[in-house]
Amino acid sequence: MNYLLNIVIFFPAFAALLLYVLKGENSRIFAILVASLELLFVVLLWNEFNTNYGGIQFVTHYELISSYNISYSVGIDGISLFLLALNAFITLLALYFFKYLRTSLIIAILFLESIVMGVFSALDVMMFYIFWELSLLPVLYIIGVWGGEKRIYASIKYFIYTFGASLIMLVGILYFAYQYFLIMGTWSFNLIDWYQISLDPDTQKWLFLAFLIGMAVKIPIFPLHSWQPHAYTQAPIVGSVLLSAVLSKMGTYGLLRLVLPLFPFTSSNISLIIGLICVFMVVYGAFIALAQKDLKTFLAYSSLSHMGIIVLGIFSLNTEGLSGAVFFMIAHGVVVGALFMLIGVLQTRTQTQSLQDVQGIAHSMPQYSSVFGIVMMCSLGLPLTMGFVGEVLSLYGFFQLNPIIAFLAGSSFFVGAIYMLTMFKKVFFGSALPKYTTLKDLNLREKIVFVPILVLIIWLGVYPKPLLTPISTSAETLSRTISAKISLTLTQTHDMENIESLEYPLGNVPRDFDDDGVLFIPRIGE
């Protein structure tokens, strides 16, 4: 079934090319069909996935540049599997929800879906970087062409931040490959190969910084966040949905897949500093959101606050924190995507997204208000919603590392309630303005979109096991790899016989690994 992952990666791009050539009048219907099939392919992938195995599965490997061991190499584990599902799910809902989408915009969305699938599946670091950079192009088009009044400023700022940070990361990638050559005597950009070496602390420190900058801008992490409110606000609603729900997860995924396992010693040493930054992000994002007058900018800063909790869980370096961070990535993607779509409903009805211009919506739109309230409560981390599971696990993971920082970060429950409930009271309650007393409630198309979101919020809040079990299995494997490599760094040895405990590539699928636990990737056709 390895071919199925390749279909998942390239099917949307192939459909986008076909749509570009044909340019039919029913492009949205075609795109919805494509996105539906893409989600089906991901579900089939999940069905074939071995949830008891924490390593890489569905591996495909083609050599591209043999002298430098650059290859088309893809595979997924329990962490990346559900990010693929999130990408497919959000893209399908976005295409169905927004009724009036131009063909060119739909093509950009399908290309973006394909590129993000590649980011979440790449096992070759150079290929990861290529997918990473390619994601810039459709986003720039979506913001720069279809955005708001200041769309050019927002798109240029987004490009400068992300491309500049990516260039710094590229320098780090090339230098790491050179270090691998010095240690092993051969070139390689294969991520699993890179996992097998441990760099000295000084080298780790500088490479960690280069990789972290590249990831931090995408997430974003304070103080590299100033592009975010402009991009989220100026992008069309469909662009805001994809940026907040999916693209921000590229950065946190990069931390999990590259930064932690490649630089575990530095990650461990700097975790408390990162923790303090995350606490500041939680509080800063909350209070800046409270001062906003635009609903999309409000959600941008709210998202910054929540991403602080995700990063905190990642840098706990233990199974609970890593599992919680990944689960919270999924929950945040579903919730923030739903909130932006709800803002899209309000903007369509009222022709405004200003908090000052809207009041008493609940009188004319009770169903809309109820859906907004449930999604908002999930965002606040209400028990029995999926937001609660991920947030608590992330905090618990860091609590084992530093209880004080975890306690301060836990203020997210309180400060989140302050800005969210204040906004909800202002928009939905009070005396309705005369011009908003006859607004139409949710229509059938909108209900079809929000019903599965509400089901996921409640179902995975009450019973998170279907996601949490495979995520935890891979998170435990990653955590053991980090611990083993920290010990290896402390002993200052690169003897390959002493790294049996590097458990990331180990598992219960013997056909993928040799007796030493090293990933064996057969060439196709052998």
Side-chain angles (χ1 to χ4, degrees):
M1 295 293 287
N2 291 9
Y3 66 89
L4 194 56
L5 179 58
N6 298 289
I7 293 175
V8 167
I9 295 171
F10 294 108
F11 179 65
F14 174 78
L17 287 173
L18 191 62
L19 187 59
Y20 176 78
V21 173
L22 298 179
K23 295 182 179 178
E25 295 181 359
N26 298 319
S27 56
R28 176 174 166 269
I29 296 174
F30 174 78
I32 291 172
L33 178 60
V34 169
S36 301
L37 289 173
E38 178 76 353
L39 182 58
L40 176 62
F41 293 147
V42 174
V43 171
L44 292 175
L45 201 65
W46 184 2
N47 184 61
E48 295 295 325
F49 189 83
N50 183 356
T51 57
N52 297 316
Y53 170 49
I56 305 296
Q57 302 180 42
F58 304 106
V59 174
T60 299
H61 181 87
Y62 290 101
E63 284 192 6
L64 300 177
I65 306 176
S66 57
S67 57
Y68 289 96
N69 198 12
I70 297 176
S71 60
Y72 169 78
S73 184
V74 296
I76 58 171
D77 62 359
I79 294 171
S80 47
L81 171 65
F82 295 107
L83 292 174
L84 297 182
L86 175 68
N87 185 24
F89 180 70
I90 293 297
T91 302
L92 173 59
L93 292 187
L95 287 169
Y96 184 79
F97 181 79
F98 297 100
K99 189 175 181 179
Y100 301 103
L101 295 175
R102 295 290 184 91
T103 300
S104 58
L105 180 56
I106 291 172
I107 291 172
I109 292 171
L110 290 176
F111 268 121
L112 184 60
E113 180 181 22
S114 188
I115 291 167
V116 173
M117 292 297 188
V119 170
F120 291 150
S121 306
L123 294 180
D124 183 278
V125 182
M126 190 55 67
M127 191 180 70
F128 173 89
Y129 181 79
I130 291 171
F131 279 123
W132 182 276
E133 288 293 77
L134 284 176
S135 67
L136 274 174
L137 300 179
V139 173
L140 285 175
Y141 177 77
I142 291 171
I143 299 175
V145 175
W146 301 101
E149 183 180 351
K150 298 180 180 179
R151 60 186 181 275
I152 302 301
Y153 172 79
S155 58
I156 291 175
K157 190 166 188 176
Y158 174 78
F159 175 80
I160 291 173
Y161 266 78
T162 52
F163 186 69
S166 296
L167 288 179
I168 295 173
M169 184 171 68
L170 178 60
V171 173
I173 289 172
L174 296 176
Y175 190 74
F176 195 107
Y178 176 67
Q179 289 294 310
Y180 183 90
F181 172 77
L182 293 180
I183 295 170
M184 305 300 291
T186 183
W187 289 94
S188 179
F189 285 86
N190 187 282
L191 188 57
I192 304 300
D193 289 344
W194 285 17
Y195 286 167
Q196 306 305 312
I197 67 171
S198 182
L199 303 177
D200 64 87
D202 287 338
T203 304
Q204 276 198 42
K205 177 176 63 178
W206 293 107
L207 287 177
F208 170 88
L209 184 61
F211 278 74
L212 180 65
I213 290 173
M215 308 303 172
V217 169
K218 280 284 189 190
I219 295 173
I221 295 176
F222 180 90
L224 302 175
H225 70 290
S226 66
W227 64 267
Q228 184 197 33
H230 299 283
Y232 283 24
T233 303
Q234 295 302 316
I237 293 289
V238 66
S240 301
V241 170
L242 297 174
L243 275 169
S244 59
V246 179
L247 267 75
S248 63
K249 310 307 178 291
M250 288 170 53
T252 48
Y253 174 78
L255 294 178
L256 291 163
R257 185 61 79 226
L258 274 74
V259 175
L260 296 192
L262 294 180
F263 318 111
F265 186 76
T266 304
S267 299
S268 176
N269 287 345
I270 206 170
S271 59
L272 295 183
I273 296 175
I274 297 292
L276 291 173
I277 293 174
C278 291
V279 170
F280 181 79
M281 285 172 61
V282 169
V283 179
Y284 168 81
F287 283 101
I288 296 296
L290 189 61
Q292 297 309 306
K293 299 177 181 179
D294 183 280
L295 276 168
K296 290 175 71 177
T297 312
F298 171 89
L299 280 187
Y301 283 108
S302 169
S303 181
L304 177 70
S305 182
H306 285 114
M307 295 306 289
I309 298 295
I310 293 173
V311 176
L312 189 77
I314 290 173
F315 276 90
S316 69
L317 307 183
N318 55 50
T319 303
E320 293 81 6
L322 293 171
S323 301
V326 176
F327 193 91
F328 199 28
M329 286 162 65
I330 308 301
H332 177 264
V334 172
V335 170
V336 76
L339 286 173
F340 271 111
M341 283 189 276
L342 286 164
I343 289 177
V345 174
L346 189 63
Q347 187 179 31
T348 302
R349 305 291 199 277
T350 63
Q351 301 304 309
T352 183
Q353 58 191 41
S354 173
L355 279 165
Q356 295 180 319
D357 296 338
V358 184
Q359 183 176 318
I361 296 299
H363 296 285
S364 57
M365 303 176 67
Q367 294 177 359
Y368 171 83
S369 304
S370 300
V371 172
F372 200 109
I374 295 171
V375 176
M376 181 194 68
M377 288 300 175
C378 182
S379 177
L380 294 178
L382 184 73
L384 301 182
T385 65
M386 66 187 302
F388 175 79
V389 177
E391 192 163 354
V392 168
L393 277 175
S394 298
L395 292 172
Y396 175 66
F398 208 88
F399 180 85
Q400 299 178 49
L401 187 66
N402 190 295
I404 296 176
I405 291 179
F407 176 79
L408 293 174
S411 63
S412 61
F413 289 104
F414 305 105
V415 295
I418 292 173
Y419 67 80
M420 275 292 186
L421 293 177
T422 300
M423 178 276 297
F424 193 76
K425 178 183 176 182
K426 171 68 177 65
V427 173
F428 292 93
F429 298 114
S431 300
L433 299 177
K435 60 181 178 179
Y436 297 145
T437 55
T438 58
L439 296 177
K440 293 182 180 180
D441 213 337
L442 295 177
N443 57 40
L444 179 61
R445 174 176 50 84
E446 292 160 348
K447 290 177 183 177
I448 290 174
V449 169
F450 291 123
V451 165
I453 291 175
L454 296 180
V455 170
L456 280 179
I457 286 174
I458 304 300
W459 172 46
L460 293 177
V462 175
Y463 187 66
K465 185 177 179 180
L467 267 65
L468 206 52
T469 296
I471 288 173
S472 298
T473 303
S474 293
E476 183 178 6
T477 301
L478 176 58
S479 180
R480 289 178 179 175
T481 298
I482 292 169
S483 299
K485 290 192 70 173
I486 290 174
S487 300
L488 185 60
T489 302
L490 291 173
T491 60
Q492 290 296 293
T493 178
H494 301 292
D495 183 3
M496 296 302 294
E497 295 180 358
N498 292 335
I499 61 172
E500 297 178 341
S501 56
L502 296 188
E503 298 197 17
Y504 194 84
L506 298 182
N508 299 320
V509 186
R511 58 185 171 82
D512 285 341
F513 302 92
D514 62 20
D515 294 333
D516 295 324
V518 178
L519 182 68
F520 171 73
I521 305 177
R523 292 178 176 84
I524 301 301
E526 291 185 351

